[in-house]
């Protein structure tokens, strides 16, 4: 066998780099293995799969507020992920841990933070402060670039959708009882989306200080 034949047999750099399909397959294989090595062990760690002490599922009103928060894209500017750096913990409080979010589907962690992190905002301001801030942020923070959400004060909570939403969450592990689900629509009767959003914000970060 010639020396040239020996050099061209098998997976040479030249073969991989000149064959697009082979390159794609190998990249996907490496990414899949690397992802599995990092992700699979997390499913067996209690710190990532069990709720921290004191964590409770969202009430019907808080859950409705979370839906509004997602619908309006608030998570795009407020990451709800406090990183374990002194500069962040001094400003926002205890860093975020996975056990706080086991009832969140999907969770709100993100890498972008245009506005302040809201993970520990619960209880920091009054309900009235949040109401004013959501209707017109510049009434409280003149330099704010946050959009106003005045329509939330007029929109009623979609009470009819909550029981089905809570049943779906129960299927993925959120411990809602039959009584919680049965009373959901009544619990939000007469409430607006503004009431719900404030309730959600006031619930954030209370289980861990």
């Amino acid at each position: 066998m010639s020396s040239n034949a020996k050099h061209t047999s098998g997976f040479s750099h030249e073969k991989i780099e000149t064959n697009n399909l082979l390159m794609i397959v190998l990249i996907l294989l490496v990414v899949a293995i690397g992802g599995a090595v990092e992700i699979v062990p997390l499913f067996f760690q209690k710190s990532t799969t069990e709720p921290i002490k004191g964590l409770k599922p969202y009430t019907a009103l808080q859950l409705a507020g979370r839906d509004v928060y997602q619908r309006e894209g608030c998570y795009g500017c407020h990451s709800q992920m406090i990183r374990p750096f002194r500069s962040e913990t001094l400003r926002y409080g205890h860093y975020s841990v996975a056990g706080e979010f086991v009832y969140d589907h999907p969770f709100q962690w993100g890498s972008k933070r245009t506005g302040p992190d809201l993970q520990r905002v619960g209880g920091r301001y009054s309900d009235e402060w949040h109401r004013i801030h959501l209707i017109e942020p510049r009434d409280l923070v003149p330099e704010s670039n946050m959009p106003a959400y005045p329509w939330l004060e007029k929109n009623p909570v979609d009470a009819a959708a909550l029981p089905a939403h809570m049943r779906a969450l129960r299927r993925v592990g959120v411990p809602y009882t039959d009584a919680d689900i049965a009373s959901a629509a009544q619990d939000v009767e007469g409430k607006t989306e503004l009431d719900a959003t404030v309730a959600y914000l006031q619930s954030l970060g209370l289980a861990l200080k």
Side-chain angles (χ1 to χ4, degrees):
M1 182 180 292
S2 67
S3 58
N4 288 337
K6 290 181 180 179
H7 287 303
T8 57
S9 63
F11 285 117
S12 67
H13 280 287
E14 183 179 0
K15 279 189 176 181
I16 295 173
E17 293 171 359
T18 57
N19 188 320
N20 290 338
L21 179 59
L22 180 58
M23 175 70 85
I24 291 171
V25 170
L26 291 176
I27 288 174
L28 291 176
L29 181 62
V30 170
V31 170
I33 294 173
V37 168
E38 290 194 357
I39 295 171
V40 171
L42 297 178
F43 289 99
F44 301 96
Q45 293 182 9
K46 291 185 177 181
S47 63
T48 63
T49 59
E50 293 187 0
I52 62 172
K53 184 178 180 180
L55 185 69
K56 298 179 180 179
Y58 296 114
T59 65
L61 187 62
Q62 291 166 355
L63 183 62
R66 188 175 189 272
D67 289 343
V68 174
Y69 184 93
Q70 290 179 290
R71 184 194 72 199
E72 300 297 342
C74 303
Y75 59 86
C77 291
H78 303 286
S79 64
Q80 291 185 235
M81 182 177 70
I82 304 169
R83 298 160 182 82
F85 304 129
R86 183 174 175 82
S87 60
E88 298 217 357
T89 56
L90 284 176
R91 180 178 182 184
Y92 300 118
H94 196 288
Y95 59 85
S96 301
V97 300
E100 293 181 89
F101 301 89
V102 295
Y103 299 149
D104 285 55
H105 300 277
F107 58 80
Q108 301 296 313
W109 282 25
S111 59
K112 191 176 189 300
R113 187 187 290 152
T114 301
D117 193 290
L118 297 183
Q119 181 51 32
R120 305 270 175 251
V121 76
R124 287 196 174 186
Y125 307 97
S126 67
D127 288 357
E128 187 61 22
W129 188 97
H130 282 295
R131 295 177 69 86
I132 295 171
H133 187 246
L134 286 165
I135 293 171
E136 178 45 74
R138 277 147 294 281
D139 285 348
L140 294 173
V141 186
E143 68 276 12
S144 175
N145 62 357
M146 172 178 158
Y149 297 93
W151 58 85
L152 299 183
E153 191 175 27
K154 301 175 183 178
N155 292 351
V157 170
D158 185 2
L162 281 171
H165 189 178
M166 294 172 78
R167 280 193 292 270
L169 289 172
R170 184 164 67 176
R171 291 193 187 98
V172 293
V174 182
Y176 286 123
T177 64
D178 290 337
D180 293 332
I181 297 172
S183 65
Q186 184 178 354
D187 291 344
V188 300
E189 185 177 354
K191 299 294 185 180
T192 66
E193 291 185 339
L194 183 63
D195 297 324
T197 305
V198 171
Y200 171 64
L201 293 173
Q202 292 287 41
S203 73
L204 294 177
L206 299 182
L208 183 62
K209 292 293 186 181

